[in-house]
Amino acid sequence: MALDRIRIRGGKPLSGEIQISGAKNATLPLMAAGLLTDRRVVLTNVPKLDDITTMATLLAQHGIAVEPVGNKGRTLSLGGTISNTEAPYDIVRKMRASFLVLGPLVARVGEARVSLPGGCSIGARPIDLHLKGLEQLGARVVLDGGYIDARVRGRLRGATIVFPFVSVGATENLLMAATLADGRTTLVNAAREPEISDLAECLVKMGARIEGIGSDKLVIEGVDRLGEAEHAVIPDRIETGTYACAAAISGGQVLLRGARIEHLGATVRALQEAGVEIAEAAGGISVRRLDGLHGADAMTEPYPGFPTDMQAQFMALMAVAEGAAMVTETIFENRFMHVPELNRMGARINVHGASAIVRGVPSLSGAPVMATDLRASVSLIVAGLAATGETIVNRVYHLDRGYEAVERKLAGVGAEVERIEG
Ligand code: UD1
């Protein structure tokens, strides 16, 4: 709930197994892909998160019912006929990924009216690449009353789209749109995140023709229609990296069950340089802190570089490492909101432009803290695990958008963590 808080009493080394959930950022575009067909799309290994509920609400009002299969809540069946092409402000403002319905709606029924996502605490986050790409595919795109109105007579037409920089969302939106376009679309400088390959693989199961999956050049031959598919969502690599930082900062050892090391990219090297042993193990990835933590630099980059979604958690780890670390954010311009909060816990972090210098301290001290975005919030939990005394993280609704049962998963490996309701 919105006013819930999380209380952490630090100092316990984590030990045991944590089950890694399906990836939020893979599930959201996969759900949007349900708009591309009137047949059933079944997704398994779906995480239980508020963002998934928001996407289900959005799809339902477009006419696509999202229903749980079985009683575990991890399998969703999507199906229905598009009855409404407007994505309202009330839903889109809650979750930026709502914008992923734009490409599929235009490709499928020739029109969409999608609210602009609006401000976001981690930077301006424009959507110009999504819109330019859609125009290149033949859509007419206008801004009208805070809404993007996009339409095409007949089908979208294949085109070569060269992205000036890498965008995960624009790649996904245009990949989905291109599957139903007339002719060949080439996406150059496409994002290569594992979530994009997961989406592409599901689209191929639905009948799409896509080459270059996993590379920065995707070639899509449009088809007339897509059909049914069943697809298992990949494990969440950011949740994996977050719990790796949690284990490391606590001085413990955990098995991250279901995680895939090949999806972690530069996170592995950064952790190793920091003195953390991280390796593939039976059933997942094992993580163990060796002797002490050492300062290690990290610069965020598109995959397979160090993920911006791991920057805050890694910074929390560096806050208690021996020596200094430079953490540079190149993807978002305002993604250091966790710094003042970490400093309130005794960290020594200075921000200069896009870089933060973290001078490690021997220990942090617990404090009431809060953060205004998902990864910043979880970084405060990570910090709390190594702090003396009690840390209270306020405003946990950000956490509930993207971390399934974080307090239960941590308590399950021996952390003193609990949710205080209300
Ligand atoms: C996705 C992830 C998010 C992650 C981000 C970067 C989802 C649901 N969210 O967000 O967790 O932090 O990738 O890995 O998968 N940009 C533009 N114009 C555009 C599109 C993007 O200028 O049209 C800029 C953004 O402001 C940002 C950069 O490009 O500075 C990268 O953004 P993008 O990769 O598009 O991020 P999202 O898809 O929004």
Side-chain angles (χ1 to χ4, degrees):
M1 296 303 291
L3 295 175
D4 288 2
R5 292 169 292 162
I6 301 237
R7 177 164 57 205
I8 306 125
R9 289 198 186 84
K12 292 258 165 68
L14 305 188
S15 164
E17 287 187 21
I18 300 177
Q19 178 68 44
I20 297 303
S21 298
K24 166 178 89 76
N25 287 353
T27 309
L28 295 171
L30 285 165
M31 290 174 77
L35 291 161
L36 291 165
T37 177
D38 53 12
R39 308 296 294 276
R40 249 161 71 99
V41 174
V42 175
L43 300 176
T44 62
N45 197 33
V46 172
K48 290 185 191 167
L49 298 169
D50 287 353
D51 273 8
I52 305 302
T53 312
T54 303
M55 186 58 106
T57 307
L58 181 61
L59 292 179
Q61 63 87 51
H62 288 308
I64 305 293
V66 179
E67 281 152 2
V69 178
N71 55 10
K72 297 223 173 88
R74 300 200 180 274
T75 300
L76 295 179
S77 162
L78 285 71
T81 307
I82 294 171
S83 53
N84 166 31
T85 54
E86 179 167 315
Y89 178 65
D90 260 3
I91 300 180
V92 180
R93 76 181 163 82
K94 275 199 215 157
M95 185 183 70
R96 198 185 142 78
S98 307
F99 209 69
L100 292 171
V101 301
L102 181 72
L105 283 171
V106 179
R108 183 77 195 300
V109 292
E111 59 167 58
R113 212 175 130 74
V114 180
S115 170
L116 277 176
C120 165
S121 57
I122 62 171
R125 298 183 94 179
I127 35 95
D128 52 320
L129 299 186
H130 302 237
L131 303 184
K132 270 189 208 130
L134 212 51
E135 280 178 337
Q136 284 177 276
L137 295 177
R140 204 181 122 265
V141 179
V142 292
L143 174 66
D144 167 32
Y147 279 69
I148 294 298
D149 195 295
R151 52 190 68 228
V152 63
R153 229 181 259 143
R155 288 171 69 184
L156 292 169
R157 289 180 303 278
T160 296
I161 296 168
V162 182
F163 294 112
F165 52 88
V166 175
S167 162
V168 173
T171 302
E172 290 166 346
N173 230 335
L174 297 167
L175 168 64
M176 289 190 277
T179 59
L180 291 179
D182 190 15
R184 171 183 299 187
T185 299
T186 307
L187 301 179
V188 180
N189 199 23
R192 295 189 274 160
E193 271 64 6
E195 294 77 22
I196 294 185
S197 302
D198 202 37
L199 171 64
E201 273 157 24
C202 180
L203 292 168
V204 167
K205 286 182 198 162
M206 292 165 71
R209 292 176 54 199
I210 305 170
E211 273 173 32
I213 296 175
S215 80
D216 61 359
K217 185 171 158 192
L218 295 169
V219 181
I220 305 112
E221 293 290 344
V223 296
D224 288 343
R225 67 181 57 81
L226 294 177
E228 62 189 20
E230 181 169 332
H231 185 77
V233 177
I234 54 170
D236 196 313
R237 65 193 166 94
I238 305 298
E239 191 194 27
T240 303
T242 301
Y243 288 125
C245 288
I249 205 167
S250 78
Q253 174 166 16
V254 295
L255 176 74
L256 303 173
R257 187 161 285 285
R260 287 197 211 154
I261 202 153
E262 68 273 21
H263 287 171
L264 293 193
T267 305
V268 171
R269 215 205 49 231
L271 286 169
Q272 285 169 341
E273 265 181 47
V276 181
E277 185 183 78
I278 172 163
E280 195 169 355
I285 297 177
S286 69
V287 181
R288 182 166 70 103
R289 184 163 105 194
L290 298 172
D291 299 329
L293 291 168
H294 316 290
D297 295 347
M299 186 190 310
T300 65
E301 285 173 330
Y303 187 83
F306 189 86
T308 177
D309 286 350
M310 277 301 302
Q311 182 253 104
Q313 304 89 309
F314 189 70
M315 199 185 287
L317 187 64
M318 291 298 90
V320 293
E322 197 183 314
M326 183 160 80
V327 177
T328 304
E329 174 60 57
T330 74
I331 309 288
F332 293 109
E333 73 268 31
N334 181 26
R335 207 172 193 179
F336 286 134
M337 288 91 60
H338 41 289
V339 169
E341 298 300 297
L342 289 171
N343 284 349
R344 292 185 61 241
M345 297 175 72
R348 285 182 63 207
I349 307 172
N350 277 321
V351 174
H352 292 283
S355 292
I357 285 287
V358 189
R359 294 186 178 87
V361 295
S363 82
L364 297 172
S365 64
V369 285
M370 73 174 194
T372 48
D373 101 354
L374 175 57
R375 310 303 171 184
S377 301
V378 87
S379 79
L380 300 174
I381 294 188
V382 170
L385 293 172
T388 54
E390 188 175 281
T391 298
I392 305 247
V393 180
N394 293 294
R395 288 228 229 171
V396 300
Y397 66 88
H398 292 291
L399 280 171
D400 295 336
R401 289 187 48 191
Y403 285 90
E404 183 178 328
V406 63
E407 71 278 15
R408 265 184 277 139
K409 288 193 185 189
L410 285 171
V413 287
E416 247 190 89
V417 178
E418 63 186 339
R419 178 178 292 249
I420 310 166
E421 293 192 1

